[in-house]
Amino acid sequence: MPRIADRRSASRFLLAGLLLWVLVACASQPPGSLDREPQIPAEVSNAEWAQDMQRFAAQDQAQPPPRDAVLFVGSSSIRLWDSLAQDFPDAVVINRGFGGSEVRDSTWYADRIVYPYHPSTVVLYAGDNDLANGRTAEQVGQDTATFIDRVHKRLPSARIVIISTKPSPSRAHLLEAQRQANALVQRAAQQRGAVFVDVFTPMLDAQGQPRESLFIQDRLHMNASGYALWKQLLAPYVH
């Protein structure tokens, strides 16, 4: 009988040890990464983005970018940020924005514009094109979650920074949808250990409308003042 009791005690000890190992392993994973296999979007929003991918590939071949840089991806607000390197002189930055793109496009092309650079930080801006093109706030939130999951799966140590959608005067009719999308995106980012940066609120005036002084004549894209504001808000995470 004592030998049977000893074996039972040993079994309980081994089981407890195994359970402790599982708990430690789970704690070491990025938040939200367990039991989740990121899905590549079914399609891109526009097949013409393939031309941008070819352009990026040519640039990389002519001048291979360094590893561990801060990578900016997303739509035209990223693509048109011409002063990016000057605004963050203490960081090595790579700009891989392609105008008109949606969140799912950066996810689709992650193997072309994210993984090859092995960035230390990935900054994504997209979402207002999505809403303007008819996607819902819920879809923007889910698409952003998928982007975070896919990047974290291959680059678990990379910091991911998600910029909220900006309130543009020409798209003021989307303000409520943007608020809803931003709330869902913020929750998705927090659940997955990503950083959420709110540019929406600081870009509103006292009446809750987009600040015209931050935009060029098309009332959609930002001027130097708009980018100066973004620089200030992103500075803690770009280094």
Side-chain angles (χ1 to χ4, degrees), residues 79-108:
R79 181 179 65 83
L80 297 173
W81 199 338
D82 295 332
S83 61
L84 193 61
Q86 292 73 35
D87 288 340
F88 301 105
D90 296 330
V92 177
V93 298
I94 301 172
N95 189 326
R96 288 297 177 264
F98 46 114
S101 62
E102 299 179 4
V103 176
R104 54 182 168 156
D105 298 321
S106 290
T107 306
W108 174 281

Side-chain angles (χ1 to χ4, degrees), residues 49-83:
W49 303 146
Q51 299 177 14
D52 293 272
M53 300 306 117
Q54 294 172 3
R55 175 168 54 85
F56 294 147
Q59 293 175 2
D60 294 343
Q61 185 174 12
Q63 186 174 3
R67 295 169 62 102
D68 300 319
V70 179
L71 173 67
F72 286 75
V73 297
S75 59
S76 57
S77 293
I78 297 299
R79 181 179 65 83
L80 297 173
W81 199 338
D82 295 332
S83 61

Side-chain angles (χ1 to χ4, degrees), residues 121-166:
T121 299
V122 179
V123 182
L124 171 72
Y125 177 78
D128 61 322
N129 287 331
D130 310 47
L131 297 172
N133 293 337
R135 291 182 76 75
T136 66
E138 289 74 16
Q139 286 176 311
V140 173
Q142 183 55 57
D143 289 347
T144 304
T146 302
F147 174 84
I148 297 171
D149 290 343
R150 190 168 189 220
V151 173
H152 263 163
K153 196 75 173 181
R154 287 280 297 273
L155 303 172
S157 63
R159 173 195 286 143
I160 300 178
V161 180
I162 306 296
I163 305 174
S164 73
T165 60
K166 72 182 191 300

Side-chain angles (χ1 to χ4, degrees), residues 198-213:
D198 176 23
V199 300
F200 182 88
T201 305
M203 295 182 74
L204 297 175
D205 61 21
Q207 288 71 44
Q209 295 299 308
R211 293 164 55 185
E212 295 273 359
S213 61

